[in-house]
RNA sequence: GCGAUCGUAGCUCAGUUGGUUAGAGCGCCGGUUUGUGGUACCGGAGGUCGGGGGUUCGAGACCCCUCGAUCGCCCCA
């Protein structure tokens, strides 16, 4: 590589080969499943006014305070490359009057941007698939959304991943729990890890999923959300779990599961690889493959009317790491030009093949004596030989009967 | 932002305690062989050893700086 060639931006990737096939498989499967569940497709801009994210996600979150790609455009408006889908979707819902379609089931996918240190399963430009149900406050919406996620993972052939489920309760429950946690951890502040001492003031819920053993000793006996749940919040959660059971979605209660962003209420969930599974191994230290929850307060933070909603997002790259290699479309016919004088006829044949729907390609360059080797290396089901007078025969035994029919009158 | 490991052909890597013109396999290009066939052999193109400084008679190897990559922490999908 010349030193003159510009390098790709850190944390961006050029996806090609087997990885690109896996990526496409994830997206195709998502598209198929979302149609099955009647989620409607939507496309949103990749950038928004910065306040869309700062107000929706929360100023103090890591995403907003240090991970956004923000810049001023020529009219000096602060813009930001979207670090997640939900805020932009909420903005679109409000500015386009999509309330008229409520409850609205939406699906989308595309690139997101976060200024983070890249590592396995984690990039600065990454890609997610996303599903949301907007304007639906009933627990059945949560069930529907999770059932779809569960089926998607199954259809992707991903195993060893479990739905971890929790409730953060309604706003009052959550606040009371938070206060209880602060009180509990403050008493032992000096014995917590440095990170958790910091968390105690910034985001006490986060202490619960600390990986530091010094914290874990205290986490076990920390106050549980259940003790603070209002009757309504408890009933809501029970209704969600009953629905999941009815829909055949396996789940596991995760009392210390919290989500990083401020807007979550009630249901919170993550699909996480089981410890020791092949999936956990493939993902390195990135655990969550799909995550989301209910965000009833979000629309108001953007100046809209109170609008209940649930959603999830999943990292396409992370899913792609779990689906294994996708075998490419079999090459049905390789046209082999043995004499350059037959090029026109070979080109015609190739064109006819493709119009008839046969996956086909042609070898017509380089040393004539090596063309056959090149053709064989691509593992075609049939090699169609063309000399100066045109097509005259094929080689290959696993040939498609339809192709053999097609070739009958070509000689 | 912090930490660890690593940067030698297009790719995967060798390069022995620092010592002549820096190597292999694969891939690519050409040739010979074979001739319903992914064979074998021969040859060719392609490297300022990530970049800069230093130590030394001599650095791909050692030291410093820098850039980049990978993995982990934080956080997250």
């Amino acid at each position: 590589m010349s030193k003159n060639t510009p390098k790709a931006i850190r944390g961006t990737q050029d996806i090609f080969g087997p990885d690109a096939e896996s990526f496409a498989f994830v997206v195709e499967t998502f598209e198929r499943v979302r149609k099955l569940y009647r989620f409607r497709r939507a496309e949103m801009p990749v950038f928004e006014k910065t306040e869309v994210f700062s107000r929706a996600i929360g100023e103090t979150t890591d995403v907003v305070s240090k991970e956004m790609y923000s810049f001023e455009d020529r009219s000096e408006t602060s813009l930001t490359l979207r670090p997640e889908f939900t805020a932009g979707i909420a903005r679109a819902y409000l500015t386009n009057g999509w309330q008229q379609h409520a409850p609205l089931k939406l699906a989308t996918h595309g690139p997101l941007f976060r200024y983070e240190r890249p590592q396995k399963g984690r990039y600065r430009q990454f890609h997610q698939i996303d599903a949301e149900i907007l304007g639906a406050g009933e627990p059945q919406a949560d069930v529907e959304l999770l059932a779809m996620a569960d089926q998607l993972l199954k259809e992707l052939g991903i195993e060893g991943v479990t739905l971890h489920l929790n409730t953060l309760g309604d706003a009052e429950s959550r606040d009371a729990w938070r206060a209880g946690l602060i009180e509990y951890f403050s008493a032992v502040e000096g014995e917590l890890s440095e990170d958790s001492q910091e968390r105690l003031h910034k985001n006490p819920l986060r202490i619960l999923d600390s990986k530091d053993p010094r914290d874990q000793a205290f986490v076990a006996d920390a106050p549980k959300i259940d003790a603070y749940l209002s009757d309504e919040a408890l009933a809501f959660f029970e209704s969600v779990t009953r629905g999941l059971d009815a829909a055949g979605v396996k789940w596991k209660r995760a009392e210390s599961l919290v989500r990083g962003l401020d807007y979550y209420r009630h249901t919170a969930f993550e699909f996480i690889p089981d410890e020791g599974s092949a999936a956990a191994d493939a993902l390195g230290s990135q655990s969550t493959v799909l995550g989301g929850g209910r965000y009833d307060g979000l629309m108001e933070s953007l100046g809209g009317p109170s609008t209940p909603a649930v959603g999830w997002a999943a990292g396409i790259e992370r899913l792609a790491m779990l689906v294994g290699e996708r075998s490419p479309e079999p090459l049905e016919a390789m046209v082999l030009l043995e004499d350059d004088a037959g090029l026109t006829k070979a080109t015609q044949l190739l064109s006819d093949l493709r119009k008839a729907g046969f996956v086909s390609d042609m070898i017509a360059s380089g040393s004539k004596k090596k063309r056959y080797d090149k053709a064989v290396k691509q593992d075609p089901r049939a090699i169609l030989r063309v000399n100066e007078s045109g097509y005259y025969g094929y080689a290959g035994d696993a040939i498609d009967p339809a192709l053999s029919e097609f070739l009958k009158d070509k000689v």
Side-chain angles (χ1 to χ4, degrees), chain A residues 176-286:
Chain A
W177 183 38
R178 185 189 155 97
L181 286 170
I182 293 175
E183 193 188 337
Y184 172 81
F185 284 117
S186 293
V188 294
E189 180 167 359
E191 296 171 65
L192 296 173
S193 67
E194 297 74 25
D195 283 332
S196 284
Q197 295 189 23
E198 176 94 3
R199 291 184 184 111
L200 184 56
H201 303 287
K202 262 182 68 184
N203 196 350
L205 307 206
R206 280 264 148 233
I207 299 175
L208 295 175
D209 53 14
S210 168
K211 289 172 189 162
D212 196 304
R214 284 173 289 174
D215 301 328
Q216 284 167 351
F218 300 107
V219 167
D221 296 320
K224 305 280 189 276
I225 177 68
D226 290 13
Y228 299 86
L229 286 182
S230 63
D231 292 347
E232 294 75 23
L234 184 62
F236 189 97
F237 188 59
E238 281 173 349
S239 184
V240 170
T241 58
R242 215 177 310 125
L244 289 175
D245 291 339
V249 177
K250 291 211 181 70
W251 58 277
K252 186 175 149 190
R253 179 69 197 275
E255 283 177 322
S256 55
L257 188 151
V258 295
R259 308 239 67 232
L261 312 181
D262 284 355
Y263 53 61
Y264 286 107
R265 300 284 183 278
H266 288 292
T267 321
F269 53 85
E270 295 181 359
F271 283 79
I272 300 175
D274 305 333
E275 230 164 293
S277 67
D281 213 48
L283 281 173
S285 70
Q286 290 355 290

Side-chain angles (χ1 to χ4, degrees), chain A residues 57-273:
Chain A
I57 299 171
E59 293 281 0
T60 62
T61 60
D62 279 18
V63 170
V64 171
S65 64
K66 52 189 200 198
E67 295 174 0
M68 293 204 301
Y69 274 95
S70 298
F71 58 97
E72 289 196 347
D73 70 2
R74 287 166 193 272
S75 66
E76 293 172 9
T77 308
S78 177
L79 305 179
T80 294
L81 264 29
R82 62 185 179 195
E84 60 142 40
F85 277 114
T86 307
I89 289 173
R91 188 236 86 219
Y93 182 85
L94 295 172
T95 57
N96 295 304
W98 287 348
Q99 289 98 328
Q100 63 179 313
H101 299 115
L104 174 59
K105 299 197 278 187
L106 274 191
T108 192
H109 65 82
L112 292 307
F113 305 85
R114 248 119 98 160
Y115 193 91
E116 293 187 277
R117 201 59 183 273
Q119 61 190 65
K120 193 182 188 97
R122 185 167 161 188
Y123 309 94
R124 287 188 174 179
Q125 176 178 335
F126 59 107
H127 303 79
Q128 286 184 346
I129 50 179
D130 181 282
E132 315 275 346
I133 304 182
L134 304 153
E138 59 285 349
Q140 294 91 297
D142 306 47
V143 173
E144 163 98 344
L145 196 75
L146 282 166
M148 180 202 182
D150 189 63
Q151 182 163 356
L152 172 67
L153 294 178
K154 288 200 168 85
E155 303 226 357
L156 286 171
I158 293 174
E159 287 173 1
V161 171
T162 304
L163 168 58
H164 291 230
L165 188 69
N166 196 19
T167 177
L168 305 173
D170 45 37
E172 294 75 43
S173 311
R174 181 175 157 147
D175 290 347
W177 183 38
R178 185 189 155 97
L181 286 170
I182 293 175
E183 193 188 337
Y184 172 81
F185 284 117
S186 293
V188 294
E189 180 167 359
E191 296 171 65
L192 296 173
S193 67
E194 297 74 25
D195 283 332
S196 284
Q197 295 189 23
E198 176 94 3
R199 291 184 184 111
L200 184 56
H201 303 287
K202 262 182 68 184
N203 196 350
L205 307 206
R206 280 264 148 233
I207 299 175
L208 295 175
D209 53 14
S210 168
K211 289 172 189 162
D212 196 304
R214 284 173 289 174
D215 301 328
Q216 284 167 351
F218 300 107
V219 167
D221 296 320
K224 305 280 189 276
I225 177 68
D226 290 13
Y228 299 86
L229 286 182
S230 63
D231 292 347
E232 294 75 23
L234 184 62
F236 189 97
F237 188 59
E238 281 173 349
S239 184
V240 170
T241 58
R242 215 177 310 125
L244 289 175
D245 291 339
V249 177
K250 291 211 181 70
W251 58 277
K252 186 175 149 190
R253 179 69 197 275
E255 283 177 322
S256 55
L257 188 151
V258 295
R259 308 239 67 232
L261 312 181
D262 284 355
Y263 53 61
Y264 286 107
R265 300 284 183 278
H266 288 292
T267 321
F269 53 85
E270 295 181 359
F271 283 79
I272 300 175

